[in-house]
Amino acid sequence: MSGGRGRTVRRRPLAGLSLLLAGAALLAAPAAATASDTSLRLDSRQSLRQQFDYAPDYEVNLPSFDAHNRACIRSRTASQHVTKDVFSLRRGAFHSTSILDAVRRAYPGFRATVNAGGWGSDAVEADALGRLYTLLEIRVGDGSLRTVLLYSTDAGRSWRLVSLPFKPPRTSPDGLISGTSASEHLVGWNLRSEPPLLAFWRPVSDWPGERACRMALYVIQPRFEGDQLVLPAPVLVSDRSLGVIQAAGDASFAATVGSTTYIVWAEVAPPDAPGAPTFVAAYDQTTGTLSAPLQVATARPPNDDHTTPGIVADGQGILHVLTGSHNTRFMYTHTIDPADATLWTDPVPVLSSGYVKPGLSQEGRGCQTYLSLVCTPDNALVIAFRQRRRGVDAVFGGRSYDALSVQCLEPGGTWSDARRVVYCSNNAGYAQYYHKLTIDRRGRLYLSLSYFRPCDWPANKRAANRYHHRMLLISEDGGTSWRFARLADFVNGAVAPASTDAVAAAAAPATDPAAPAPASAAATGTVTPPADAEQ
């Protein structure tokens, strides 16, 4: 493996094939082109209500779930910039609370939220004690930007904030920003009794490449002192980071096992490099120190922030990393031993078919962009991504088009074929779905998405019209079938809170980091509600 810092360790390749999605039925749409075409077929000229009678009575954005599977959803509009509330599920209904009241108390000159509708961080994360967290970029009176971490210690009824130590750079006229922040996502097995690890990246210098900028990547581990959240000094991870794309995909940059959080990132490279080196390092929660970085894979193309990678830990403590890509194929590797980031398998392609044109093999090649990644309670990996397809179906007469697809990897198997979930039936060519994938404590998958083409809007109106045809899909069978999510899915999925002590004990790190995770609701993501559960 070429390039990068640290030491690359190659071990045995992955073994065995086990298909999960082959022949599975996905969300059916009216008037499918053929009996076997079960994808959701959007018509961008009609609303979702007109096409599917989809007019949900919940906020349509990516949900997050606490230890009792109560959902939280941050508000959004069609704009990439706007948010104002968090909707928290309590006693069978969503209740909204303003997060901007806390912002105005801290910043009387507050003017607007920036990239807060999903272009940047828009998730609400929860810890095992039911405390909630959400990152926000804001513009203040002098026109400069600030990053704040809002937090709630009363299940979303009220919010406070702490200001992060870095000021974001100014945004460009089209709303793009060259540095921002992210938090570790709950993606299956990483529920903790502490706040999520935070990452920040800020420009260091220009770098050759249309999608490249050399960034300094930092992490901060917030902690509570009494009921106040405080931020220790940031820890530098790399001064050659490519940054992180959050507008679509938004895979977690970190995964915690016991008292160690493992961080993944891609770096800039020489212009003639074969790809972007992808590194992993271990952050010790006890000492606040970072291990030496280790290159575990190479993502294509080089110097393109679409190569944003993702990481998850399964129930045995095995770490799984997928690189990003830009219309090429993701690469996948995992650790040999639990909670040990020093030995990794040889990276393997995730998808090697789906785009066929003259000069390619009959299978063609894989074209994947924007990685979303979660781990299910049975340790299967599920990814969602934008797939460029050509010559593999009758859609648009075999011409190239972009779909939203999923793949699955069962334990001990290899990656399934890509399965198309959504596409626009009236527009070939480029499309953007701004998708994000998450999982609840029962193991149900939620896929948030919308539909956008830059050519449909003048450049000066794109930021305000970024998210049309917003929808939320749910899969209750590991990604085999999908349907529109309903309010009842959230209400019936929540369970009565256990005692605070019990939840904290379930989320506490095991003495032996290599030991299997405890079989508890907080640790496994699986909950069984009592008959008289109060939701």
Side-chain angles (χ1 to χ4, degrees), residues 13-31:
L14 307 178
L17 174 63
S18 176
L19 294 182
L20 175 67
L21 298 181
L26 295 181
L27 179 67

Side-chain angles (χ1 to χ4, degrees), residues 67-79:
H68 316 297
N69 216 41
R70 297 172 299 197
C72 293
I73 307 174
R74 205 166 89 179
S75 69
R76 71 189 304 192
T77 68
S79 169

Side-chain angles (χ1 to χ4, degrees), residues 355-361 390:
Y355 189 89
V356 178
K357 65 178 183 179
L360 294 178
S361 67
R390 174 176 171 163

Side-chain angles (χ1 to χ4, degrees), residues 146-463:
R146 298 290 189 277
T147 303
V148 299
L149 175 63
L150 291 126
Y151 65 100
S152 172
T153 58
D154 55 8
R157 293 175 176 84
S158 63
W159 292 86
R160 290 176 283 176
L161 67 76
V162 290
S163 298
L164 276 57
F166 299 107
K167 292 183 180 180
R170 292 178 181 270
T171 54
S172 59
D174 62 1
L176 299 178
I177 190 168
S178 56
T180 184
S181 55
S183 59
E184 178 183 357
H185 300 326
L186 291 176
V187 286
W189 290 80
N190 57 328
L191 183 67
R192 304 172 52 208
S193 57
E194 300 298 327
L197 187 72
L198 306 180
F200 311 90
W201 49 102
R202 296 295 180 260
V204 173
S205 64
D206 292 334
W207 196 265
E210 184 179 354
R211 300 284 315 190
C213 179
R214 180 180 170 184
M215 301 276 191
L217 173 66
Y218 301 85
V219 293
I220 294 180
Q221 179 56 65
R223 68 176 186 271
F224 276 94
E225 293 182 356
D227 66 347
Q228 297 291 322
L229 193 65
V230 297
L231 301 177
V235 175
L236 177 66
V237 176
S238 170
D239 64 359
R240 295 173 59 86
S241 170
L242 262 171
V244 177
I245 279 188
Q246 298 173 288
D250 197 23
S252 184
F253 77 94
T256 298
V257 180
S259 60
T260 304
T261 301
Y262 299 90
I263 304 162
V264 67
W265 71 97
E267 293 197 350
V268 295
D272 58 350
T278 301
F279 292 90
V280 169
Y283 177 81
D284 189 316
Q285 295 284 346
T286 303
T287 64
T289 57
L290 194 70
S291 72
L294 178 72
Q295 184 180 347
V296 299
T298 300
R300 295 181 55 222
N303 302 319
D304 185 330
D305 58 0
H306 288 86
T307 56
T308 297
I311 186 170
V312 296
D314 67 22
Q316 302 302 314
I318 298 293
L319 303 171
H320 303 264
V321 164
L322 279 83
T323 70
S325 67
H326 195 180
N327 294 323
T328 61
R329 56 194 186 180
F330 300 150
M331 300 298 291
Y332 166 67
T333 180
H334 68 77
T335 55
I336 301 298
D337 299 312
D340 179 1
T342 61
L343 300 176
W344 294 76
T345 58
D346 286 333
V348 297
V350 175
L351 181 65
S352 299
S353 62
Y355 189 89
V356 178
K357 65 178 183 179
L360 294 178
S361 67
Q362 184 175 356
E363 293 78 19
R365 61 184 176 90
C367 288
Q368 299 175 289
T369 311
Y370 302 121
L371 170 70
S372 286
L373 169 65
V374 300
C375 183
T376 70
D378 60 0
N379 292 327
L381 304 184
V382 182
I383 62 172
F385 55 95
R386 190 187 70 190
Q387 182 189 16
R388 183 146 296 171
R389 298 170 63 95
R390 174 176 171 163
V392 292
D393 50 46
V395 175
F396 303 117
R399 288 181 293 154
S400 173
Y401 70 100
D402 288 339
L404 182 59
S405 297
V406 297
Q407 284 180 268
C408 179
L409 175 68
E410 293 183 325
T414 57
W415 288 96
S416 70
D417 291 336
R419 185 74 176 189
R420 186 182 60 193
V421 180
V422 179
Y423 73 100
C424 182
S425 62
N426 61 295
N427 291 320
Y430 179 88
Q432 175 59 272
Y433 297 95
Y434 294 121
H435 65 281
K436 299 182 182 183
L437 177 69
T438 193
I439 188 167
D440 74 1
R441 313 310 300 169
R442 291 178 178 269
R444 300 179 300 178
L445 304 172
Y446 287 84
L447 182 59
S448 172
L449 67 134
S450 55
Y451 176 77
F452 178 78
R453 291 193 313 163
C455 62
D456 290 338
W457 302 94
N460 63 349
K461 293 185 177 181
R462 289 173 188 166

